[in-house]
C-alpha cells in the first residue's frame, strides 16, 4: 500500500526468536497516544469532579471494553474523590490496523507501538510519565494465555512483542519485571482516537525548528509553530523517520513536545470552561479504549483524574527509559537498555520523589528548547545540581515491599531526584520544539 499511512517496513523488524501469534479476547487494539490524551492530559487539566464523573459513567457503560490483568480481582469501589495514595498506570497502544478503516493499510499483527507508565505521587504533588522505546530488548516473563495456560518466558525480545504474545496483561507483567513496580491499572487505546481527541481539543500548537519530512506518514512541516489536529496530529505522533536521528528514541522526545503542549492547552481556561470540548474528549477516549478491570469503574477514573488535577505543570515530567543503539547480537538494530541508570529513575518513583533531568536542555535527539519560549515557562526554581545535593543529603525513602508504596511520614524525602544524563525528557511547563530529521 502507498499513501500517508502506508506501513513503514522498518517498523516491523524480525524478532530474535520466533513467536507464535496467539488468539486474544475480542477488543479494539489501539495506539497509546490516545491514552495520553485521556488519562494524562485530560485528567491533569483538572476537570470538575461532577463533569468528569458524567463523562466516565457514560463512557464505561456505553463503549469501553475490559480485560483482566494477571491475578486481578475487583475490590470495593472508591468514592468520588481523589484516589488515596499513589497510582501506577500503564498506557499501551498497538499498531494493529484492525477496525481502523482503510487509511492505515492491512498490516498483520498487533505490536505495542507505544508503552508508557504514568506514576502519580502519593501526596498528589507530582506525576512522572516514562516512555519505553518500542525496539528496546528486554526479558519477557511467563505470560497468561487468553485461551488458557501460559506462555514461556523469554530472555531477550523487543518490548513491543508483548502485546501480540500475551495481550495487555503480558505487557504489564513485563514492565513490572523491568521496573520493580506494581502496576494495578492499565489501558490500551487505538489509532482513530488520536484524530478524534485532537479535534475535540481544537488542535495542539507544536513548534518545529527545521523541516520535517516523512514519506511513510505523509508528514511535511516547515519551521514554525503549527496547530495540529486530525490526521496531521496522528502523523506527527507517528513519525519516526521525520524527526531527530530517525530512531524511536528521537520519536519519543518529539512526542513529548506534543504532549507538553497538549497538557498546557488542556490547562488553559478556554478548554476548562468549554463543556463541549471536555465531553468530546471523554467520548473520543471512551470509544477507543480497552481498560483493565481495575479501571472499569467510573469512580476509579474520576478518582485518578482528581488526584492529577492540581499538579503544577513543572511537576508533570515526561522522560524516556534510557538506552543506546548500535549494539551487536540481539541488540543489533535495536535499543539496549541502560539498566543501572534506569534503576535511579525507578528508585525515585518507588520512593515517590519527583524527578528532573540532569540539564533543562537534555530534551533528547528529537527535540530542543524553544528559543522563543515565554519567560513564564522557565523550569522550576531548583536546578539539577541543587536537587542532586539535596538528594545526597536526604536519601530516597524505601518503598514498602508489599505494596511498592513509599513512606509518606514526616521523615519521607520529597526533594526531586536529578536523573543521569542518559535519561532525557522535559516537564509540561517547558516549551520545546521538534527537530527535523538530520541524518
Amino acid at each position: 500500500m502507498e499513501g500517508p499511512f502506508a506501513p513503514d517496513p522498518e517498523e516491523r523488524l524480525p524478532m530474535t526468536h520466533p513467536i507464535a501469534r496467539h488468539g486474544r479476547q475480542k477488543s479494539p487494539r489501539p495506539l497509546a497516544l490516545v491514552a495520553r490524551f485521556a488519562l494524562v492530559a485530560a485528567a491533569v487539566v483538572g476537570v470538575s469532579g461532577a463533569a468528569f464523573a458524567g463523562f466516565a459513567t457514560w463512557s464505561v457503560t456505553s463503549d469501553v471494553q475490559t480485560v483482566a490483568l494477571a491475578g486481578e480481582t475487583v475490590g470495593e469501589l472508591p468514592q468520588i474523590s481523589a484516589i488515596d495514595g499513589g497510582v501506577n498506570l500503564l498506557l499501551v497502544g498497538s499498531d494493529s490496523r484492525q477496525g481502523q478503516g482503510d487509511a492505515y493499510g492491512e498490516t498483520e499483527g498487533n505490536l505495542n507501538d507505544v508503552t508508557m507508565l504514568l506514576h502519580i505521587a502519593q501526596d498528589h504533588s507530582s506525576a512522572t510519565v516514562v516512555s519505553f522505546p518500542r525496539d528496546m530488548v528486554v526479558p519477557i516473563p511467563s505470560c497468561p494465555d487468553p485461551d488458557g495456560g501460559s506462555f514461556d518466558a523469554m530472555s531477550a525480545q523487543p518490548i513491543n512483542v508483548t502485546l501480540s504474545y500475551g495481550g495487555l496483561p503480558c505487557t504489564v507483567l513485563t514492565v513490572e519485571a523491568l521496573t520493580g513496580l506494581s502496576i494495578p491499572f492499565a489501558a490500551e487505546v487505538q489509532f482513530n482516537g488520536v484524530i478524534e481527541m485532537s479535534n475535540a481539543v481544537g488542535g495542539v500548537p507544536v513548534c518545529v525548528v527545521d523541516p520535517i519530512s516523512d514519506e511513510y506518514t505523509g508528514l511535511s512541516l516547515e519551521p514554525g509553530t503549527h496547530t495540529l489536529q486530525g490526521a496531521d496530529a496522528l502523523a506527527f505522533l507517528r513519525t519516526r523517520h521525520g524527526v531527530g536521528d530517525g530512531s524511536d528514541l528521537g520519536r519519543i522526545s518529539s512526542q513529548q513536545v506534543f504532549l507538553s503542549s497538549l497538557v498546557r492547552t488542556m490547562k488553559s481556561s478556554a478548554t476548562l470552561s468549554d463543556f463541549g470540548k471536555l465531553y468530546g474528549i471523554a467520548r473520543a477516549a471512551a470509544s477507543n479504549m480497552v481498560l483493565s478491570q481495575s479501571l472499569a469503574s467510573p469512580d476509579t477514573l474520576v478518582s485518578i483524574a482528581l488526584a492529577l488535577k492540581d499538579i503544577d505543570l513543572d511537576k508533570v515530567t515526561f522522560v524516556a527509559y534510557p538506552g543506546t543503539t548500535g549494539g551487536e547480537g540481539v541488540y543489533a538494530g535495536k535499543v539496549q537498555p541502560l539498566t543501572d541508570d534506569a534503576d535511579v529513575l525507578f528508585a525515585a518513583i518507588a520512593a515517590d520523589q519527583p524527578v528532573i533531568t540532569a540539564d533543562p536542555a537534555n530534551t533528547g535527539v528529537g527535540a530542543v528548547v524553544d528559543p522563543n519560549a515565554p519567560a513564564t515557562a522557565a523550569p522550576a526554581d531548583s536546578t539539577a545540581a541543587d536537587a542532586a545535593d539535596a538528594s545526597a543529603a536526604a536519601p530516597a525513602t524505601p518503598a514498602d515491599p508489599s505494596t511498592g508504596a513509599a513512606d509518606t511520614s514526616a521523615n519521607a524525602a520529597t526533594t526531586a531526584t536529578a536523573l543521569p544524563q542518559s535519561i532525557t525528557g522535559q516537564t509540561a511547563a517547558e516549551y520545546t520544539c521538534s527537530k527535523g530529521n538530520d541524518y
Side-chain angles (χ1 to χ4, degrees):
M1 172 183 173
E2 298 181 353
F5 298 106
D8 178 349
E10 294 187 24
E11 292 293 303
R12 293 181 174 276
L13 300 171
M15 292 177 286
T16 56
H17 299 89
I19 293 180
R21 298 302 172 103
H22 300 276
R24 296 185 58 200
Q25 298 173 357
K26 281 191 174 182
S27 64
R29 294 189 178 99
L31 178 82
L33 305 172
V34 185
R36 302 174 184 192
F37 288 16
L39 297 178
V40 179
V44 168
V45 302
V47 301
S48 74
F52 200 93
F55 300 155
T57 300
W58 176 86
S59 65
V60 170
T61 57
S62 301
D63 293 293
V64 172
Q65 299 187 43
T66 64
V67 62
L69 302 182
E72 182 177 44
T73 59
V74 179
E76 182 179 354
L77 301 180
Q79 298 299 311
I80 303 295
S81 60
I83 197 167
D84 185 20
V87 173
N88 288 329
L89 188 156
L90 194 69
L91 309 174
V92 176
S94 120
D95 63 0
S96 171
R97 273 66 170 173
Q98 181 176 336
Q100 300 296 290
D102 298 330
Y104 312 113
E106 300 297 332
T107 305
E108 297 277 339
N110 184 34
L111 306 176
N112 36 304
D113 195 54
V114 177
T115 303
M116 188 173 67
L117 175 68
L118 164 66
H119 172 77
I120 306 170
Q122 286 205 43
D123 63 1
H124 306 162
S125 64
S126 65
T128 303
V129 183
V130 184
S131 293
F132 297 82
R134 56 166 284 158
D135 295 332
M136 188 169 68
V137 176
V138 300
I140 298 177
S142 175
C143 292
D145 183 344
D147 296 326
S150 60
F151 301 134
D152 293 337
M154 296 180 289
S155 61
Q157 289 289 339
I159 196 171
N160 71 330
V161 307
T162 55
L163 198 58
S164 64
Y165 192 59
L168 183 59
C170 189
T171 307
V172 171
L173 287 172
T174 300
V175 175
E176 285 184 329
L178 188 64
T179 64
L181 301 172
S182 174
I183 304 174
F185 305 107
E188 182 186 342
V189 287
Q190 61 183 272
F191 269 168
N192 287 335
V194 177
I195 291 176
E196 294 177 16
M197 287 189 190
S198 63
N199 288 337
V201 77
V204 177
V206 171
C207 170
V208 176
V209 293
D210 35 41
I212 294 177
S213 179
D214 184 356
E215 63 178 308
Y216 297 108
T217 64
L219 182 67
S220 179
L221 296 175
E222 293 298 319
T225 299
H226 305 265
T227 299
L228 302 180
Q229 64 185 96
D232 290 336
L234 175 61
F236 181 86
L237 289 166
R238 290 188 64 215
T239 186
R240 166 177 170 172
H241 297 277
V243 295
D245 59 358
S247 71
D248 194 49
L249 298 176
R251 173 166 65 174
I252 286 173
S253 53
S254 180
Q255 288 172 346
Q256 290 171 349
V257 172
F258 184 99
L259 293 173
S260 60
S261 180
L262 172 65
V263 172
R264 292 192 298 271
T265 300
M266 295 288 292
K267 276 277 196 180
S268 71
S269 58
T271 297
L272 292 176
S273 62
D274 190 329
F275 185 86
K277 282 186 180 181
L278 294 176
Y279 183 83
I281 292 166
R283 182 175 58 188
S287 61
N288 292 281
M289 299 180 74
V290 177
L291 303 177
S292 62
Q293 289 183 355
S294 56
L295 279 180
S297 162
D299 290 354
T300 304
L301 290 172
V302 175
S303 294
I304 292 175
L306 293 176
L308 282 161
K309 75 181 185 69
D310 293 326
I311 299 177
D312 293 337
L313 289 174
D314 63 358
K315 295 298 189 296
V316 179
T317 306
F318 299 95
V319 296
Y321 191 106
T324 60
T325 57
E328 299 178 351
V330 296
Y331 300 112
K334 304 292 184 181
V335 176
Q336 181 172 355
L338 298 175
T339 53
D340 288 346
D341 288 355
D343 286 346
V344 176
L345 168 64
F346 295 112
I349 290 177
D352 255 355
Q353 291 183 318
V355 298
I356 56 174
T357 58
D359 182 337
N362 196 26
T363 54
V365 296
V368 294
V369 175
D370 185 351
N372 300 312
T376 54
D381 292 337
S382 61
T383 64
D386 291 337
D389 292 342
S391 294
T397 305
D400 181 337
S402 65
T403 64
D407 178 11
T408 56
S409 68
N411 295 324
T414 57
T415 303
T417 294
L419 299 173
Q421 186 70 29
S422 64
I423 300 180
T424 62
Q426 67 170 89
T427 71
E430 295 174 271
Y431 284 65
T432 53
C433 299
S434 182
K435 292 176 58 178
N437 41 354
D438 57 7
Y439 56 98

